[in-house]
Amino acid sequence: MANASCHPLGAASSCAVTAASTVLCSGSSLAPSTLGSDMVDDGRPATPRWRSWFSRGLTAVGGYFLECALRLVIGPTVPHDLLVFPDEQLPCWNHVRLRRCGRKNCSFAHKPTSLTRLLDEFRAARRSIDVCVFNITLKEIAECLMDCHRSGIQVRIITDMEQLCSRGSDVARIAQLGIKARHDNSNDLMHHKFTVVDGRTVLTGSFNYTRSAVLQNREHILILRSWRIARGYRTIFEDLWEKYEGNDIRIGDVEEGLVCPTRELPLVPAARRWEGRSAARWEGHVATDGTRARSRSRSRSPRRDAR
């Protein structure tokens, strides 16, 4: 847990409370002779005991309210919540849609899970949801984002270009609804995993928006409710959004294969042996710099798609 003294204002409030607590809990500032007499050693009248305790109590209460006021100004300095995966089950679709499930032997979860709590964060949005993730293949998340868009929330998505063509990707379907989405158009991975809700809440961690991340992988999402932290993530998102201007995802481009990438991979020794055995198989895939370029028809391994 972060310490409030990490921030200058937090340090001030922490010092105020610490000082007040020290005065309350310690009697060292008041000589023993003062507690039982009306005169101090130098002949001056002693402060009445009730007034001394009242002053200390007032200092402590003032320090507490000062810290509360400062927290309202600077925002929370610690994570508000932590979601841990995998879940035991996917939630029932009727439960996700806040409807009653009529199936007698429904095998899906009807209680809160880490995924349903994540969806609740999306539903709590009032103005905007900015998503920057490697890929989206989970139906529940895709449908929730589309529902938010239908309700008038501004939803924007930045994702990896190659993942648009991966099996089960929902990004193109989301873009078809009218949600603004862009890809990185790069040979490097767009491997961020964060979402900013209303410019105040950040959802970040190892979690990819995929089925395997919910049911199989060891993942987590850290929920940070702080406009100061969200401002940094919002800056990252806006910089990428501006950088990828012109890379808008259109459903027609995906269907026609215009955005399916060609990423270069190292030509490993095993691949060299394959190349010698079947030159025709590698025709068109060997770049001039000695590396093998991935063809549009060649998909990633299932393990990489599932990340």
Side-chain angles (χ1 to χ4, degrees):
M1 182 175 293
N3 195 327
S5 62
C6 295
H7 190 281
L9 294 178
S13 62
S14 178
C15 291
V17 175
T18 303
S21 302
T22 303
V23 173
L24 279 173
C25 299
S26 174
S28 59
S29 60
L30 190 62
S33 60
T34 307
L35 296 176
S37 65
D38 294 333
M39 300 292 292
V40 294
D41 295 339
D42 58 2
R44 292 183 291 103
T47 303
R49 183 181 305 178
W50 67 268
R51 184 178 299 177
S52 175
W53 285 108
F54 178 80
S55 176
R56 297 170 187 173
L58 188 63
T59 301
V61 172
Y64 171 78
F65 283 105
L66 175 62
E67 184 175 12
C68 292
L70 290 175
R71 287 178 65 84
L72 290 176
V73 174
I74 67 177
T77 58
V78 297
H80 182 272
D81 208 346
L82 179 66
L83 307 181
V84 180
F85 297 87
D87 288 339
E88 294 182 1
Q89 298 171 304
L90 283 174
C92 173
W93 186 243
N94 290 312
H95 180 71
V96 170
R97 290 299 186 94
L98 305 179
R99 297 194 299 247
R100 181 179 179 181
C101 179
R103 292 176 290 186
K104 294 183 179 180
N105 298 318
C106 182
S107 60
F108 296 93
H110 293 79
K111 60 182 180 180
T113 64
S114 293
L115 177 58
T116 60
R117 292 167 66 188
L118 172 63
L119 300 180
D120 289 341
E121 295 296 329
F122 292 148
R123 293 195 190 97
R126 294 294 177 264
R127 299 187 306 274
S128 64
I129 302 176
D130 294 329
V131 181
C132 190
V133 293
F134 186 57
N135 196 9
I136 301 176
T137 63
L138 189 64
K139 171 186 174 182
E140 286 77 6
I141 292 180
E143 292 291 342
C144 185
L145 293 175
M146 290 191 286
D147 287 344
C148 292
H149 171 75
R150 294 186 186 101
S151 64
I153 306 299
Q154 182 193 50
V155 180
R156 296 185 297 175
I157 298 174
I158 296 177
T159 189
D160 184 79
M161 179 177 66
E162 186 172 352
Q163 290 303 304
L164 292 175
C165 303
S166 65
R167 183 173 54 186
S169 177
D170 287 316
V171 177
R173 184 166 64 93
I174 292 173
Q176 188 179 21
L177 187 65
I179 294 177
K180 297 180 180 179
R182 294 177 179 177
H183 59 80
D184 59 342
N185 191 26
S186 170
N187 287 333
D188 302 318
L189 297 179
M190 208 304 299
H191 220 235
H192 282 302
K193 303 177 183 67
F194 70 85
T195 295
V196 182
V197 179
D198 288 340
R200 296 189 63 89
T201 302
V202 177
L203 314 173
T204 186
S206 65
F207 183 80
N208 276 309
Y209 292 2
T210 62
R211 180 186 178 94
S212 59
V214 175
L215 296 178
Q216 300 174 13
N217 301 343
R218 271 60 179 174
E219 312 275 5
H220 77 278
I221 295 178
L222 198 60
I223 302 177
L224 305 169
R225 305 187 194 280
S226 170
W227 66 265
R228 291 187 299 116
I229 298 175
R231 182 172 56 186
Y233 280 92
R234 187 71 179 269
T235 299
I236 296 174
F237 186 92
E238 294 295 345
D239 290 344
L240 292 176
W241 190 258
E242 182 179 354
K243 179 179 180 180
Y244 300 149
E245 184 177 3
N247 298 341
D248 297 286
I249 299 173
R250 292 178 289 270
I251 185 65
D253 293 345
V254 177
E255 291 176 347
E256 297 173 10
L258 298 181
V259 297
C260 289
T262 303
R263 288 198 172 156
E264 297 180 353
L265 298 177
L267 191 60
V268 296
R272 293 183 186 274
R273 291 196 297 269
W274 284 15
E275 182 182 8
R277 295 174 184 176
S278 178
R281 183 174 181 178
W282 290 89
E283 184 178 358
H285 299 293
V286 180
T288 56
D289 60 353
T291 59
R292 176 176 61 83
R294 186 190 300 273
S295 67
R296 292 184 178 180
S297 61
R298 187 180 179 90
S299 61
R300 286 190 174 188
S301 65
R303 181 172 180 82
R304 193 171 189 183
D305 282 336
R307 284 193 304 172

